[in-house]
Amino acid sequence: MRTIVIEPEYEAWRAAARQLLAQGVAPEEVLWTDDAQEESLFVREEPAAAAAEQGASAIKVPAAFMDLARSVAAHTDARRWGMLYRVLWRLTRGAERHLLTMATDRDVRQLQDWSKAVGRDIHKMHAFVRFRLVGADAATGREQFVAWFEPEHRIVRLAAPFFEKRFAGMDWSILTPNECAHWDGTRLHFTAGVSRSSAPDEDALDDLWRTYYRNIFNPARVKISAMQSEMPKKYWKNLPEASLIAGLIAESTGRVRGMLETEERAAKPAPNNAYLKSLHAMNQSEAAAQNHESDPA
Amino acid sequence: MMDLTRKLEILADAAKYDASCASSGAARKDSRGGKGVGSTGGMGICHSYTPDGRCVSLMKVLMTNACLYDCHYCINRRSSNVTRARFTPDEVVQLTLDFYKRNYIEGLFLSSGIIRSADHTMELVIEVARKLREVHQFRGYIHLKTIPEASQDLIALAGRYADRISINVELPSQQSLNTLAPEKNLARTESAMGHIRGKIEERHAEKRKPDAPKPPPFATGQSTQMLVGADASTDAVILGCADKLYTSHRLRRVYYSAFSPIPEPSSILPLKAPPLIREHRLYQADWLLRFYDFKVEEIASAADPNLDLALDPKLSWALRNRATFPVDVNRAPRELLLRIPGLGVRNVERILAARRYTRLRLADLVRLRVQMKKLLPFITTADHHPAKLGLDSDSLRARFLPPPEQLEINFDAPPTPATSDFLSVRSGEF
């Protein structure tokens, strides 16, 4: 049994996995860890780099595996490195090249579940990041925005290119507890995580946004579970509109009762408008034509 | 002079009854190398959800809620006493940009009450889109509501700036429109949809010519909405209308919107509770038409024109067609796998891929997270043959009926949603 200590990143896992595979080390013989504290408990093993690299060049895996591995690597489950290596082993040494098409396989299913959780986390980051305007660059005049987000997995690098493409015309930073992403118009770069207090709490537009949210809600069709399945409560603390939710639900029954108790309005006559007259004339002649067509005589 | 907050209150409230909200399916574009903001082309993003379970993706507003028409289901009809307001084009442009830069929204959904004439109204709506695209290089999503009676040139111009355009059918027959929306005409709506389809396909064909210059942009799709429960139309009529629009005009989506109480009820259309379950079943049936190769007559026939509200339409079909089952998941062709209750399109693909290498057993299906309870009576696997009794039994239907529903809502501890409720009321996806 050997222990492999890596940085918790896809590239680090990939480099180590290539060497192990080239040396023919079976998955059962490896313990993986990305925990720096645990590291001191083990004797770090220096792989025989040169020999390993030679063998490694011959390793071929389906492109889909690389994508899957990159995504799984961002998950926080400590078992992911070992599982990735086991599936890599089965794909190559195990001669199960079709393995990834087997969604019924336990290992594949596990990797897909992790990948899906990471994908969902990225999607929710794209959706729920809220930028706050903090000023403008004195030299370029570009507006500067800062956001705070708390992802579940290590996804900042995977999620950031989306923001670069979408908000290329403004300067922005997205701060998270793990890692921060920054864009200045030319370069996307990353720095270490920070605490919540580094980010602004409010934006001048938040009130107008809440006005929109309050008024787009239809009190006559409350479906709280549908809302919560897509926007779980854990995100609410960083969403400016979420403070309205409880109140909107509480007053919805009364609002609908008010509608039901309102006296029904009679139809008003059509105003004197040329377009409306032409429309009514058109409708009448079309109705007449239709009647004529369906007339069996 | 009314302030912006008050206008937004009125004109968002006036737009909430339009169910469409998709922000997917646009051509790929982004703001790199430009001065503006925005990107489209991936899957749509829902930036928030309101307690009605609907997503907030686009900023959905009307240009004005003043309207010449008298559609009795609509809060903005001319007979309503609702407070009227009107945005200037610059106000909508600024709100869209401000909201977009804060990542509140994917873009703009702009509609309008009809004032002066169809062309005049279209011009107002188009002016907002033009400013966003040409003055501010906005690359986000724009959905414009169009009016069938507007000139073809204006509809073409709307399509140039928008990612999606739509015209609402509202009701599936002219007879219903005559009573509830006397200004609207189904034939003119369909003719305008046919024209838009022509434009979309024309551009698509231009794009595929190898050496031709890139054609000017045009919306990549059109959609529509039908109200459910405002008139007496059966589900068979509604689905028949939807099917016709999908096949003759290649619509991307038909949205079904349960008629729900409005603050200004009409004497011609009394208020009632919105038929939410019916709306949900219609979305499921719509899915069966588009992705499962079902025909309208199989789901809702002339003899039995309304969907079973207690069961999903696929399960309901299976119970009416028991002779088709059990289906062997290790051998059956794709089209038959798609007919199995509880089995979605993706899992059908997974089964087809996996069974090339292995004979599937129940444990394999469990790992695919299919709805086993629904599935079991209808399938055979290497280790499972449903008791003949099961399929023949009169009580089979009863096995699938939902338990009595809990009606009270406890906000702090919401009830665990049943799988069927869980899935978005809009998408109706299984």
Side-chain angles (χ1 to χ4, degrees):
Chain A
M1 181 67 69
R2 63 177 83 187
T3 299
I4 301 293
V5 184
I6 55 166
E7 290 294 309
E9 271 156 26
Y10 167 72
E11 292 300 341
W13 171 82
R14 181 166 169 264
R18 279 166 67 97
Q19 288 178 356
L20 291 169
L21 201 58
Q23 292 162 16
V25 181
E28 311 78 76
E29 293 166 30
V30 191
L31 261 179
W32 294 81
T33 179
D34 60 19
D35 189 330
Q37 290 186 322
E38 252 177 76
E39 188 176 351
S40 59
L41 300 175
F42 303 108
V43 180
R44 191 173 189 136
E45 206 167 317
E46 294 299 331
E53 273 304 310
Q54 229 172 11
S57 63
I59 301 167
K60 287 221 163 57
V61 296
F65 178 75
M66 310 292 262
D67 293 339
L68 185 64
R70 216 179 291 272
S71 158
V72 166
H75 202 278
T76 47
D77 196 301
R79 296 166 300 164
R80 68 195 182 286
W81 306 121
M83 184 64 83
L84 279 171
Y85 186 62
R86 190 154 92 200
V87 170
L88 176 65
W89 178 267
R90 289 177 61 190
L91 279 167
T92 52
R93 301 274 176 161
E96 294 181 82
R97 278 199 64 85
H98 63 278
L99 183 58
L100 291 186
T101 65
M102 302 284 291
T104 50
D105 181 87
R106 216 176 286 271
D107 295 352
V108 172
R109 187 71 220 179
Q110 179 63 77
L111 290 185
Q112 285 174 346
D113 281 350
W114 281 331
S115 169
K116 201 172 159 189
V118 167
R120 184 178 162 90
D121 204 28
I122 293 170
H123 187 72
K124 292 301 179 195
M125 179 165 171
H126 292 163
F128 297 149
V129 152
R130 296 286 182 259
F131 283 117
R132 271 88 199 235
L133 183 64
V134 292
D137 185 285
T140 62
R142 288 165 62 89
E143 287 177 308
Q144 297 173 317
F145 291 85
V146 176
W148 171 256
F149 190 72
E150 295 170 42
E152 213 171 302
H153 303 288
R154 307 176 50 91
I155 55 162
V156 172
R157 280 166 198 258
L158 295 176
F162 163 87
F163 293 102
E164 178 193 337
K165 289 190 196 110
R166 175 158 291 194
F167 300 109
M170 51 198 231
D171 291 352
W172 52 260
S173 294
I174 301 173
L175 312 181
T176 89
N178 308 327
E179 195 171 23
C180 304
H182 313 270
W183 169 255
D184 60 6
T186 52
R187 197 170 69 98
L188 188 62
H189 72 282
F190 301 91
T191 55
V194 295
S195 72
R196 175 83 180 84
S197 58
S198 314
D201 277 329
E202 279 188 351
D203 185 281
L205 260 289
D206 282 351
D207 275 337
L208 214 46
W209 170 239
R210 278 188 283 261
T211 298
Y212 177 74
Y213 184 87
R214 185 185 303 115
N215 286 284
I216 204 69
F217 161 66
N218 183 351
R221 41 178 309 150
V222 172
K223 280 208 150 206
I224 298 165
S225 62
M227 168 186 66
Q228 293 209 143
S229 75
E230 292 298 334
M231 193 169 82
K233 276 187 167 175
K234 66 176 177 184
Y235 295 110
W236 293 11
K237 64 178 187 291
N238 293 318
L239 292 170
E241 66 272 25
S243 59
L244 300 176
I245 292 172
L248 288 175
I249 293 169
E251 64 191 38
S252 61
T253 314
R255 287 172 68 186
V256 176
R257 195 181 305 122
M259 295 176 201
L260 294 171
E261 285 166 0
T262 305
E263 196 190 336
E264 290 158 358
R265 313 277 185 231
K268 288 179 189 163
N272 187 15
N273 168 280
Y275 168 71
L276 205 51
K277 279 181 186 156
S278 72
L279 205 57
H280 288 152
M282 230 177 339
N283 287 353
Q284 265 161 15
S285 68
E286 267 169 43
Q290 205 100 65
N291 284 341
H292 185 72
E293 262 173 42
S294 55
D295 188 348
Chain B
M1 182 77 185
M2 195 181 271
D3 78 356
L4 187 63
T5 299
R6 183 70 187 121
K7 284 189 188 180
L8 182 61
E9 279 172 10
I10 295 167
L11 295 168
D13 186 78
K16 75 169 72 151
Y17 301 98
D18 205 304
S20 86
C21 74
S23 55
S24 56
R28 209 164 274 285
K29 54 182 182 286
D30 64 51
S31 53
R32 282 176 301 179
K35 284 194 157 62
V37 290
S39 63
T40 56
M43 61 176 147
I45 297 174
C46 302
H47 287 270
S48 194
Y49 288 81
T50 41
D52 49 24
R54 284 181 160 168
C55 83
V56 182
S57 180
L58 305 171
M59 176 175 81
K60 204 184 291 179
V61 291
L62 300 195
M63 202 60 210
T64 174
N65 64 338
C67 193
L68 285 168
Y69 289 15
D70 214 16
C71 307
H72 293 279
Y73 46 80
C74 180
I75 183 182
N76 307 309
R77 70 189 184 284
R78 65 170 186 258
S79 297
S80 149
N81 291 336
V82 72
T83 310
R84 309 288 173 168
R86 178 174 171 176
F87 278 130
T88 64
D90 285 335
E91 285 171 331
V92 183
V93 166
Q94 199 55 49
L95 270 175
T96 306
L97 293 171
D98 283 344
F99 279 11
Y100 196 88
K101 286 178 183 173
R102 282 149 187 84
N103 204 38
Y104 299 154
I105 54 171
E106 285 292 284
L108 172 67
F109 173 109
L110 188 61
S111 179
S112 184
I114 294 172
I115 51 169
R116 205 178 306 167
S117 70
D119 279 355
H120 174 75
T121 311
M122 269 320 293
E123 280 165 5
L124 287 174
V125 165
I126 289 169
E127 178 59 5
V128 171
R130 187 195 66 77
K131 282 195 163 167
L132 278 169
R133 292 286 194 236
E134 291 182 353
V135 179
H136 299 277
Q137 276 87 47
F138 178 67
R139 311 273 162 83
Y141 198 94
I142 298 181
H143 178 148
L144 297 182
K145 189 63 67 181
T146 48
I147 309 162
E149 288 79 11
S151 77
Q152 295 208 347
D153 286 351
L154 286 173
I155 293 186
L157 197 55
R160 215 179 109 186
Y161 297 123
D163 297 286
R164 180 166 290 192
I165 47 187
S166 63
I167 303 173
N168 281 356
V169 169
E170 303 293 14
L171 297 167
S173 74
Q174 187 57 44
Q175 205 184 355
S176 296
L177 287 174
N178 288 344
T179 317
L180 295 178
E183 280 79 22
K184 289 195 184 260
N185 180 283
L186 199 55
R188 287 200 301 272
T189 297
E190 285 204 46
S191 138
M193 284 174 169
H195 170 67
I196 293 167
R197 175 195 170 176
K199 285 273 179 195
I200 291 171
E201 288 178 354
E202 199 178 294
R203 174 163 199 275
H204 203 65
E206 283 295 314
K207 234 174 54 178
R208 275 186 308 194
K209 287 185 190 161
D211 296 317
K214 199 177 169 217
F218 195 84
T220 52
Q222 58 174 331
S223 60
T224 194
Q225 163 170 301
M226 260 188 280
L227 274 176
V228 178
D231 67 343
S233 298
T234 61
D235 293 333
V237 169
I238 292 172
L239 290 170
C241 181
D243 190 51
K244 186 173 162 211
L245 297 177
Y246 283 130
T247 49
S248 352
H249 304 307
R250 298 268 184 274
L251 263 69
R252 283 284 179 91
R253 280 297 294 275
V254 173
Y255 292 90
Y256 306 91
S257 183
F259 173 61
S260 69
I262 49 173
E264 287 278 324
S266 161
S267 58
I268 293 174
L269 181 61
L271 297 185
K272 49 205 152 187
L276 294 180
I277 297 176
R278 186 178 173 205
E279 178 192 88
H280 178 60
R281 297 288 177 229
L282 281 166
Y283 274 115
Q284 291 180 316
D286 183 272
W287 235 255
L288 293 182
L289 295 177
R290 290 190 294 145
F291 305 116
Y292 291 78
D293 296 327
F294 274 77
K295 301 269 174 289
V296 174
E297 310 76 63
E298 295 180 290
I299 305 169
S301 63
D304 195 4
N306 286 308
L307 300 172
D308 187 337
L309 294 182
L311 299 177
D312 78 64
K314 197 177 177 194
L315 178 57
S316 209
W317 176 87
L319 290 169
R320 289 194 305 273
N321 294 275
R322 297 185 195 189
T324 310
F325 300 99
V327 167
D328 184 345
V329 298
N330 283 301
R331 288 172 208 274
R334 186 172 185 278
E335 56 269 25
L336 208 49
L337 293 178
L338 285 172
R339 297 266 158 165
I340 301 173
L343 208 53
V345 174
R346 279 181 62 109
N347 274 331
V348 165
E349 298 305 336
R350 288 181 178 132
I351 285 172
L352 288 169
R355 76 184 190 186
R356 291 170 59 200
Y357 303 99
T358 181
R359 289 200 68 210
L360 295 165
R361 308 174 73 82
L362 284 186
D364 293 315
L365 298 179
V366 170
R367 275 193 288 277
L368 294 181
R369 316 261 156 73
V370 298
Q371 302 174 48
M372 291 306 279
K373 187 189 159 200
K374 226 181 229 188
L375 208 66
L376 280 176
F378 299 103
I379 56 160
T380 57
T381 61
D383 60 343
H384 167 74
H385 296 270
K388 264 275 167 250
L389 258 179
L391 267 177
D392 295 341
S393 147
D394 289 339
S395 62
L396 186 55
R397 183 174 188 278
R399 271 177 62 181
F400 295 110
L401 292 176
E405 276 196 49
Q406 194 181 334
L407 292 172
E408 262 176 287
I409 292 162
N410 178 349
F411 180 59
D412 288 322
T416 318
T419 325
S420 54
D421 301 346
F422 198 81
L423 299 157
S424 155
V425 60
R426 262 180 322 95
S427 73
E429 201 167 355
F430 289 112

